[in-house]
Amino acid sequence: MKVTTGIEMFEIERKNFLGQDVIIHPTVISDNAMAVLIDTGFSGQKDIFLEEFEKASVPFELLKKIIITHHHLDHTGSLPSILEESHHKIQVLSNELEKPYIQGEKDLITKELLAQMESWPEQWRIDFQSELSNPPKTIVHKIVTDGEELPYCGGIVVINTPGHSIGHISLYHKQSKTLIAADAMVVQDGMLELNQQSMDIELSQKSLNKFTQYDIETVICYHGGLFNENVNECIAKLVLS
């Protein structure tokens, strides 16, 4: 789906993930020189990504950068296969705290996660632990830092928004005033909301305050998709709630 000039929001479905169908919204920012993909979906979705590039009329050969907002499997799953598909070099970027998880140097199965999973149906636990025990592993080529402006496609500002994960980042495209919130927020029932599924909900709430520094006309949430009605006012209310 075309959001504005140079920004495409993909809509990709995974059926029956932990008992439900999940729709995710990776984003591509592009110009005549390059394309930047933000997050790479679940494992096994490479071909869907290639189809989405084609539907968006963005040549896959333009893809030069992939930014991973955090290490969760619905954001990193198809990263290795997308890189393998390419016949040119693609640089992978992430936050420093997320890097060891993306590279497979830290275990995704933690005591906190196991405790959270105790209430799940047995088959869900088995399936999820199976995925976590063999996660995709990819080298991160470049570390991005809070406030850094990446000189790609009109300028992409990195915003550290920890809470959902330890090193979660969001991204602000200056030229179009678009915020790619990743999992910092969700769109639910047509409303912009704080993502309650977080490692540290208080830190997630605090991180939203950073968004008030930007003039935002459009938000793309990984879960829920597009939101573009009085965005700055809605974020300000979330910060105060």
Side-chain angles (χ1 to χ4, degrees), residues 39 68-73 75-76 93-106 108 138 140 143-144 160-169 199:
D39 291 326
I68 299 297
T69 61
H70 61 294
H71 69 271
H72 292 168
L73 295 183
H75 294 255
T76 64
L93 300 81
S94 84
N95 176 283
E96 185 173 15
L97 295 175
E98 297 291 319
K99 177 181 177 179
Y101 295 100
I102 297 167
Q103 295 191 155
E105 298 161 359
K106 283 193 174 182
L108 301 186
T138 303
V140 173
I143 297 299
V144 295
N160 281 9
T161 47
H164 179 71
S165 71
I166 189 171
H168 185 282
I169 62 172
M199 174 194 72

Side-chain angles (χ1 to χ4, degrees), residues 116 163-165 183-184 194-202 204:
Q116 181 183 343
H164 179 71
S165 71
D183 283 357
L194 173 68
N195 189 353
Q196 300 293 328
Q197 303 298 319
S198 294
M199 174 194 72
D200 185 331
I201 193 65
E202 290 184 8
S204 291

Side-chain angles (χ1 to χ4, degrees), residues 132-187:
L132 291 176
S133 64
N134 187 31
K137 302 180 181 74
T138 303
I139 291 174
V140 173
H141 304 102
K142 176 178 169 59
I143 297 299
V144 295
T145 58
D146 190 31
E148 177 180 0
E149 181 175 337
L150 304 171
Y152 316 141
C153 307
I156 302 171
V157 180
V158 178
I159 309 170
N160 281 9
T161 47
H164 179 71
S165 71
I166 189 171
H168 185 282
I169 62 172
S170 303
L171 301 155
Y172 179 70
H173 184 240
K174 291 180 65 176
Q175 194 172 70
S176 66
K177 299 183 179 180
T178 299
L179 174 70
I180 295 92
D183 283 357
M185 298 186 290
V186 298
V187 178

Side-chain angles (χ1 to χ4, degrees), residues 5-31:
T5 302
I7 298 187
E8 295 280 345
M9 181 185 75
F10 294 169
E11 186 170 280
I12 297 175
E13 184 176 25
R14 171 162 172 183
K15 297 223 176 254
N16 195 28
F17 178 69
L18 301 181
Q20 59 184 331
D21 297 340
V22 177
I23 296 176
I24 56 173
H25 299 87
T27 302
V28 169
I29 303 175
S30 64
D31 58 20

Side-chain angles (χ1 to χ4, degrees), residues 201-220:
I201 193 65
E202 290 184 8
L203 184 56
S204 291
Q205 176 84 37
K206 185 177 180 181
S207 288
L208 294 189
N209 191 57
K210 288 190 172 183
F211 296 152
T212 63
Q213 303 172 33
Y214 300 89
D215 181 15
I216 303 168
E217 293 184 354
T218 303
V219 177
I220 300 173

